[in-house]
Amino acid sequence: MTVVAKPQARPARPFFSSGPCAKPPGWELSKLATESLGRSHRAKIGKSRLGLAIDLMREVLQVPDTHRIGIVPGSDTGAVEMALWTMLGARPVTMLAWESFGEGWVTDVNKQLKLDASIISAPYGEIPDLGTVDFAHDVVFTWNGTTSGARVPSGDWIADDREGLTFNDATSAVFAYDMPWDKLDVTTFSWQKVLGGEGAHGVIILGPRAIARLESHTPAWPLPKIFRLMSKGKLAEGIFKGETINTPSMLAVEDVIFALEWAKSVGGLSGLMARSNANATALERIVSDRPWLGHLAKNKATRSTTSVCLTVAGADADFIKGFAALLETEGAAYDIAGYRDAPPGLRIWCGATVDTADIEALGPWLDWAWESLKQ
Ligand SMILES: Cc1ncc(COP(=O)(O)O)c(C=O)c1O
């Protein structure tokens, strides 16, 4: 057996997980503000920190005043479920699905809410023909398929004169791609992806048409308290000012404030997008130099620049498991095995909190693992 020489330099921060993702460069627990901890989240300090997190998200994401931003329980899943359960049922529904998370929302809408939605799907690595979507329906989609590395190319396919609402699960997309807010009635995400924040809380962004739906439509099913956006027949406006439905983690809130301030320090949205694009380009170079690596999403126009999914020639699930474990043991790369439901392969996060030099340093380690294991 040939012994393959180990590369000399390791990525300085070998954090390539697709969620929770790498913390922002320079992050340290001791740098977080702590004055709001151990206090009521409804005290002046707590409310002002929650309000600041909302204001910073609005500023960095360039969300117009027409849209409301709320911090809700249950991470992105909580925000998506809250949207589906409170607003669907008023008109026919089309679900778009091209990987595990989108498929999960199909299950919820058809099996739990029993809405018999139309399903437009595509295999892992592809997206369906977006030209076939009927915007008389409510349309639920995932902007960036985190488990397949395929994403919508833009919002151009969304009709301006739509009758239905658009529901955009943008967890691994916001802070990495431009969001056409006028076309997005409901957008959800969690802080644990491009921002490198923590799980636990979701964010829901509602446009005027979503608010109109909430005010005019009463779901045919009961709603648990943590889904309720209406109070006494009116929109619960406090939620959009930091009066959360139940107790939030103020530590997670302080952490996201740190991340958003870091985002501003690197140039805001365009700075974040530039960092992510540079990472994806560096990874693309690694892939194109190696015949044994390929992109699961073949079409570059719909290939993710955050959760980049790679094929490995001849690899099965066990090979990938060994590959990822070897690099983890070496401290060269953490959490790069593809998602459990996706075809066996690697998934390397290229969001803004990853440094391009670390993606570049990963290349020789991928070679080393490949050479070591294929023997
Ligand atoms: C597209 C998408 N939707 C939903 C989720 C679930 O997010 P959370 O665990 O924050 O609820 C994820 C998590 O990876 C995701 O990538």
Side-chain angles (χ1 to χ4, degrees):
M1 200 168 108
T2 333
V3 177
V4 191
K6 263 187 214 170
Q8 304 209 319
R10 286 175 171 73
R13 295 191 308 140
F15 299 96
F16 301 110
S17 155
S18 290
C21 302
K23 305 302 281 180
W27 179 93
E28 282 170 33
L29 195 55
S30 61
K31 290 184 183 169
L32 303 190
T34 52
E35 293 80 3
S36 68
L37 306 190
R39 298 284 314 270
S40 165
H41 60 294
R42 304 203 189 275
K44 205 165 153 196
I45 173 103
K47 259 169 68 173
S48 79
R49 300 302 280 175
L50 286 154
L52 176 63
I54 290 174
D55 291 345
L56 287 169
M57 286 190 279
R58 182 179 296 284
E59 180 183 347
V60 176
L61 285 177
Q62 299 168 12
V63 177
D65 289 343
T66 46
H67 286 53
R68 289 171 171 81
I69 304 177
I71 297 171
V72 301
S75 220
D76 179 63
T77 310
V80 173
E81 298 288 1
M82 166 185 262
L84 302 180
W85 285 66
T86 54
M87 284 175 255
L88 289 187
R91 54 171 56 241
V93 183
T94 290
M95 307 289 300
L96 304 183
W98 47 88
E99 49 83 64
S100 176
F101 287 103
E103 284 162 10
W105 308 141
V106 171
T107 304
D108 289 350
V109 168
N110 280 354
K111 298 243 163 72
Q112 299 293 325
L113 298 181
K114 302 188 171 43
L115 283 178
D116 195 23
S118 311
I119 302 162
I120 304 181
S121 61
Y124 274 79
E126 295 172 32
I127 65 162
D129 180 359
L130 300 170
T132 63
V133 176
D134 177 358
F135 284 99
H137 288 200
D138 287 334
V139 178
V140 182
F141 68 100
T142 303
W143 192 286
N144 183 87
T146 320
T147 65
S148 74
R151 58 155 167 122
V152 297
S154 69
D156 291 354
W157 56 283
I158 300 172
D160 287 324
D161 61 351
R162 63 194 175 280
E163 293 165 56
L165 299 181
T166 50
F167 294 73
N168 167 28
D169 172 1
T171 283
S172 52
V174 277
F175 302 102
Y177 309 125
D178 265 322
M179 294 283 125
W181 295 109
D182 55 330
K183 291 182 184 248
L184 303 172
D185 300 309
V186 181
T187 298
T188 66
F189 66 93
S190 51
W191 296 330
Q192 43 112 352
K193 296 275 196 265
V194 180
L195 287 178
E198 294 298 302
H201 299 300
V203 176
I204 191 164
I205 303 185
L206 302 177
R209 303 179 69 252
I211 304 292
R213 173 69 60 82
L214 285 168
E215 288 174 340
S216 62
H217 167 72
T218 304
W221 40 78
L223 287 179
K225 177 176 172 177
I226 53 167
F227 285 177
R228 278 180 233 154
L229 287 163
M230 299 287 289
S231 168
K232 300 186 185 124
K234 286 210 202 109
L235 186 71
E237 290 281 3
I239 293 174
F240 308 99
K241 296 181 191 137
E243 291 162 23
T244 49
I245 297 173
N246 64 335
T247 311
S249 159
M250 291 310 297
L251 190 54
V253 171
E254 293 298 349
D255 182 74
V256 82
I257 289 173
F258 181 96
L260 287 159
E261 280 170 348
W262 167 80
K264 282 178 62 177
S265 78
V266 297
L269 185 58
S270 59
L272 295 175
M273 290 189 337
R275 285 180 61 88
S276 181
N277 288 338
N279 290 339
T281 303
L283 185 55
E284 217 170 276
R285 240 178 273 128
I286 290 173
V287 174
S288 64
D289 288 347
R290 288 157 178 81
W292 55 275
L293 275 178
H295 283 283
L296 184 59
K298 300 271 177 289
N299 180 355
K300 201 170 165 187
T302 54
R303 181 185 299 156
S304 175
T305 49
T306 58
S307 57
V308 182
C309 295
L310 305 180
T311 57
V312 177
D316 61 12
D318 284 341
F319 184 91
I320 294 294
K321 214 166 145 186
F323 193 107
L326 190 57
L327 290 179
E328 176 165 345
T329 309
E330 287 294 332
Y334 298 141
D335 312 322
I336 62 165
Y339 192 70
R340 57 180 186 265
D341 297 338
L346 303 175
R347 182 173 56 161
I348 296 164
W349 183 253
C350 286
T353 55
V354 173
D355 289 311
T356 307
D358 289 338
I359 298 279
E360 286 163 349
L362 180 61
W365 285 96
L366 297 177
D367 293 333
W368 174 76
W370 167 252
E371 291 297 334
S372 307
L373 287 180
K374 84 178 175 169
Q375 299 175 11

